[in-house]
Amino acid sequence: HPVNGLVLHQLSLQDRPILYRAALSEMVVPYGDSDPMHSWKHVLDASEYNMGQLVNSLKLGCDCVGEIHYFDIDQVTHEGKVKVVENAICMHEEDYGIQWKHYDSDSQTTEVRRSRRLVISSVFTIGNYDYGFYWYLYLDGTIQMEVKLTGIVGVSALEARPLNPSQSPQIAPELTSPVHQHVFSFRLDWELDGGSNALYENQIEVLPTDAANPQGTQFQSVSRHLTDEASAKRNIAPEVSRNWKVTNPSSLNGLGQPVGYKLLPQASPPLFANQDSVVVKRAGFGKHHVWATPYADGELHAAGPYTVMHKGQQGLPEITAGNRDISDCDLVMWHTVAITHVPRPEDWPVMPVEYCGFHLIPVGFFDRNPTLDLPSSCYTK
């Protein structure tokens, strides 16, 4: 997609629908430095640069290894011509260690199964940065999105300004690099087991020390139904293991429970910029880690469909202003993932990969472990 880049359509497992569409919706890279060379920058890299048009042509043995299936893509240029990008998408399978294992001390026997995952990836070069987007599909139904960030960091000449390591650390004898964020908004259009879906927030609640909990060790998982767009504007809280679950109320598993999938987030900050800043007005999706909306035609863009020089129109804050009902609907979840980059000498002259992302994990989608049928023999090459 010219803006969203790599897109998954109609993702299912064992002929059971999970996601109708999953992709990056938008991203922004705001800088925290006071230097006039950097302080104004907060490019919406997906929509303002047309990230999808900047996809790399991948090379076997470098970008991807193993038994590879490549997809070429056709792009429309500014002149209205067709441009073919060879090997723009890479799909391959790879070993991923242990899927499950148990050693029985009584019989002194071990059962172990190997995990494999299907990898679907593309890499995009946007100015000085390179972004790899990797969807991992696991045998147990887990879905993972991993962003790999690399390339060349932005720099300032040390002689041109006084050293301020708290805003622009020195990374080389004559260079500094400003602190900044990379903030991604992923749009997840659910189709869990077909039909409509509901959204719940789960977190841990510590019980008070009393007669029922004399040692003060008890805690429990509590769940809250998020029924409208306002209540679904939520942020990560690792101190209570907060996560979010999508269910299909009309599809029950073998225990009589609605089938579900859990969004397991990575510890991630929201936008650091002041709430009245231009950055937050234009990239308001970065204020919350989770948003949810009922599906509506045209609502694909976390920062609005026309972002060049705009002031924030038609982004998620405006989309959700009507506080529509999401209690049981064709559910779309928007997940914000962010990484804060404080540059270091090791990032020069080319930055080693940094990672961010999230997992989607089945919760009651199956009646039991779906990988019990994996072969018991383990092969090595």
Side-chain angles (χ1 to χ4, degrees):
H1 188 280
V3 173
N4 307 142
L6 181 61
V7 181
L8 298 187
H9 295 273
Q10 295 177 291
L11 183 63
S12 63
L13 180 61
Q14 298 175 359
D15 297 323
R16 298 175 64 187
I18 300 173
L19 290 161
Y20 184 76
R21 188 181 189 275
L24 177 77
S25 174
E26 187 58 89
M27 59 179 290
V28 66
V29 186
Y31 285 75
D33 191 6
S34 61
D35 184 353
M37 179 178 176
H38 298 290
S39 60
W40 57 274
K41 292 193 296 188
H42 59 275
V43 177
L44 296 165
D45 279 342
S47 58
E48 289 189 308
Y49 263 103
N50 268 9
M51 182 192 77
Q53 298 292 97
L54 305 175
V55 65
N56 289 193
S57 182
L58 304 174
K59 293 183 179 181
L60 180 63
C62 297
D63 298 295
C64 305
V65 295
E67 191 71 26
I68 306 298
H69 180 82
Y70 288 108
F71 298 87
D72 299 341
I73 65 168
D74 295 329
Q75 296 181 339
V76 179
T77 68
H78 294 297
E79 295 81 19
K81 299 178 181 179
V82 176
K83 174 186 175 183
V84 178
V85 181
E86 296 181 347
N87 299 352
I89 299 171
C90 167
M91 183 173 72
H92 69 282
E93 187 181 319
E94 63 186 18
D95 180 88
Y96 198 65
I98 294 173
Q99 178 70 64
W100 58 264
K101 178 176 180 173
H102 182 64
Y103 169 73
D104 185 79
S105 58
D106 292 333
S107 62
Q108 296 188 0
T109 58
T110 298
E111 289 288 339
V112 60
R113 302 293 188 272
R114 298 293 294 179
S115 171
R116 297 189 72 80
R117 64 184 184 183
L118 187 68
V119 185
I120 307 169
S121 62
S122 284
V123 179
F124 306 85
T125 300
I126 308 172
N128 55 303
Y129 261 97
D130 298 81
Y131 299 92
F133 291 87
Y134 289 72
W135 287 101
Y136 299 120
L137 309 179
Y138 294 85
L139 297 173
D140 65 354
T142 295
I143 303 163
Q144 180 186 0
M145 159 47 61
E146 183 176 71
V147 185
K148 299 183 180 183
L149 301 87
T150 182
I152 300 175
V153 295
V155 295
S156 293
L158 184 56
E159 291 184 357
R161 56 171 300 179
L163 179 63
N164 182 358
S166 62
Q167 285 192 329
S168 191
Q170 186 175 2
I171 62 169
E174 301 298 332
L175 295 176
T176 68
S177 183
V179 297
H180 57 280
Q181 288 184 283
H182 300 263
V183 185
F184 307 88
S185 176
F186 287 90
R187 181 181 177 274
L188 305 172
D189 185 350
W190 289 93
E191 193 186 15
L192 197 61
D193 251 2
S196 58
N197 298 144
L199 178 62
Y200 290 82
E201 180 175 273
N202 309 302
Q203 65 184 46
I204 296 299
E205 178 183 86
V206 177
L207 298 177
T209 301
D210 54 21
N213 181 26
Q215 296 179 326
T217 59
Q218 297 177 28
F219 53 91
Q220 61 188 8
S221 177
V222 295
S223 183
R224 180 168 68 97
H225 189 191
L226 305 179
T227 58
D228 54 40
E229 291 175 311
S231 65
K233 297 177 183 180
R234 304 298 295 161
N235 283 353
I236 291 168
E239 70 277 8
V240 292
S241 294
R242 182 175 294 164
N243 59 77
W244 295 271
K245 183 171 70 171
V246 176
T247 69
N248 183 336
S250 62
S251 179
L252 305 182
N253 60 24
L255 301 177
Q257 304 163 344
V259 299
Y261 252 80
K262 176 171 67 176
L263 167 63
L264 188 62
Q266 177 181 308
S268 179
L271 276 173
F272 288 133
N274 188 284
Q275 294 300 298
D276 297 323
S277 66
V278 175
V279 179
V280 173
K281 289 179 181 178
R282 281 171 37 86
F285 62 84
K287 294 192 293 185
H288 300 292
H289 294 111
V290 168
W291 307 68
T293 60
Y295 175 84
D297 288 344
E299 290 185 358
L300 291 169
H301 310 283
Y306 310 109
T307 59
V308 178
M309 304 295 289
H310 89 326
K311 297 180 181 179
Q313 299 91 335
Q314 297 179 277
L316 277 175
E318 187 172 310
I319 288 173
T320 58
N323 195 25
R324 292 169 292 184
D325 178 67
I326 61 165
S327 57
D328 187 7
C329 68
D330 186 353
L331 182 71
V332 178
M333 178 190 289
W334 312 70
H335 180 38
T336 304
V337 179
I339 188 170
T340 304
H341 190 187
V342 180
R344 57 198 175 119
E346 290 83 355
D347 291 329
W348 185 257
V350 178
M351 171 186 163
V353 168
E354 289 202 24
Y355 304 87
C356 64
F358 60 91
H359 288 75
L360 302 173
I361 300 174
V363 181
F365 189 74
F366 302 101
D367 294 341
R368 62 176 188 169
N369 182 349
T371 62
L372 295 176
D373 62 348
L374 294 179
S376 58
S377 299
C378 298
Y379 297 97
T380 58
K381 291 183 179 181

